[in-house]
Amino acid sequence: MRQEKFNPLDKKNLGVSVADALVTQRPEALGGVQSFDGAGIYALYYTGDFHPYRPMVRLNKDGRFEWPIYVGKAIPPGSSRGQFGLDPDPGQALHRRLSEHRASIEAATNVALDDFWVRYLLVDDIWIPLGEALLISRFCPPWNQVVSGFGIHHPGSGRFDQAPSDWDVLHPGRPWVARLTGRPQPRAGILQALAEALEETERRFRQHEE
């Protein structure tokens, strides 16, 4: 079989290098992240005692931090106005996004901020979406792929006919969710899908280690 030459400048390989760089960053307590400038990617890790997450927590205990619960990105504000790849001023885009997540977790009634850690990496805006996509593909974070809704914002005026997200069903407490009038997914179904996804990802991790 003919082997293709490795091209370090291939888009996918560059994206892999960004993802690899993130997981070498020192984890920080999410509640202790200080203000900083820049945009980039990040991974949140959970180490608490919410029982459905126990397979994931086992890989995050004792400083291991091997399985993120959520991966996300923060792009410079100008990127949404046609300046993507032109180095718009990022301001504090990444810190602001982490602060939004902190507020969501603090509002939840059954998880604690002290149990969340973060790795983050400042990245040129052109590589941010690719780095995020590769991290999600690699780690299958449950809040990205199964329990949707963690990263959503307060709905605008006139949009309260939406249903509470799966995340809000599983982790109630965000005050604006009480105003939503749509019918949410049953909690039992969300927990079942979560258990199956965690089992499958844990099996994949074990095979990789072998």
Side-chain angles (χ1 to χ4, degrees):
M1 181 177 66
R2 182 182 178 185
Q3 185 177 20
E4 293 184 3
K5 292 181 180 179
F6 175 75
N7 179 7
L9 298 181
D10 180 85
K11 180 175 65 174
K12 182 177 180 180
N13 292 330
L14 287 168
V16 168
S17 71
V18 172
D20 287 346
L22 174 73
V23 297
T24 65
Q25 301 303 303
R26 180 179 61 86
E28 297 182 33
L30 179 60
V33 175
Q34 301 298 308
S35 178
F36 62 90
D37 293 334
I41 56 176
Y42 58 92
L44 301 182
Y45 298 83
Y46 178 66
T47 61
D49 58 3
F50 187 70
H51 191 260
Y53 296 140
R54 64 193 184 282
M56 181 176 55
V57 170
R58 284 196 292 267
L59 294 181
N60 293 335
K61 287 282 193 179
D62 303 320
R64 294 172 66 183
F65 299 108
E66 295 179 6
W67 189 350
I69 195 169
Y70 185 77
V71 165
K73 67 178 183 295
I75 61 175
S79 297
S80 61
R81 298 192 298 272
Q83 299 180 39
F84 192 82
L86 300 178
D87 295 326
D89 180 6
Q92 294 192 339
L94 182 48
H95 180 263
R96 185 163 53 250
R97 189 63 171 150
L98 296 179
S99 296
E100 292 171 355
H101 293 332
R102 173 177 175 168
S104 290
I105 291 167
E106 286 182 312
T109 60
N110 53 12
V111 289
L113 181 64
D114 289 346
D115 294 323
F116 285 86
W117 296 73
V118 61
R119 285 186 170 112
Y120 59 89
L121 183 71
L122 302 181
V123 184
D124 283 344
D125 62 329
I126 195 171
W127 303 115
I128 291 174
L130 185 58
E132 179 198 35
L134 288 169
L135 286 163
I136 292 173
S137 176
R138 181 186 299 182
F139 294 111
C140 302
W143 286 1
N144 290 93
Q145 297 195 324
V146 186
V147 185
S148 61
F150 172 62
I152 62 177
H153 297 89
H154 186 295
S157 177
R159 297 178 58 193
F160 285 97
D161 58 345
Q162 302 176 50
S165 73
D166 291 354
W167 191 87
D168 289 293
V169 172
L170 205 57
H171 302 294
R174 289 196 282 199
W176 50 267
V177 175
R179 299 178 60 188
L180 300 180
T181 59
R183 184 176 180 179
Q185 294 293 324
R187 190 173 190 271
I190 298 170
L191 287 171
Q192 178 63 31
L194 174 63
E196 292 173 357
L198 292 179
E199 181 181 0
E200 175 59 29
T201 303
E202 186 180 28
R203 183 185 304 113
R204 196 182 74 174
F205 282 176
R206 287 198 302 266
Q207 291 173 346
H208 179 73
E209 291 173 352
E210 295 170 357

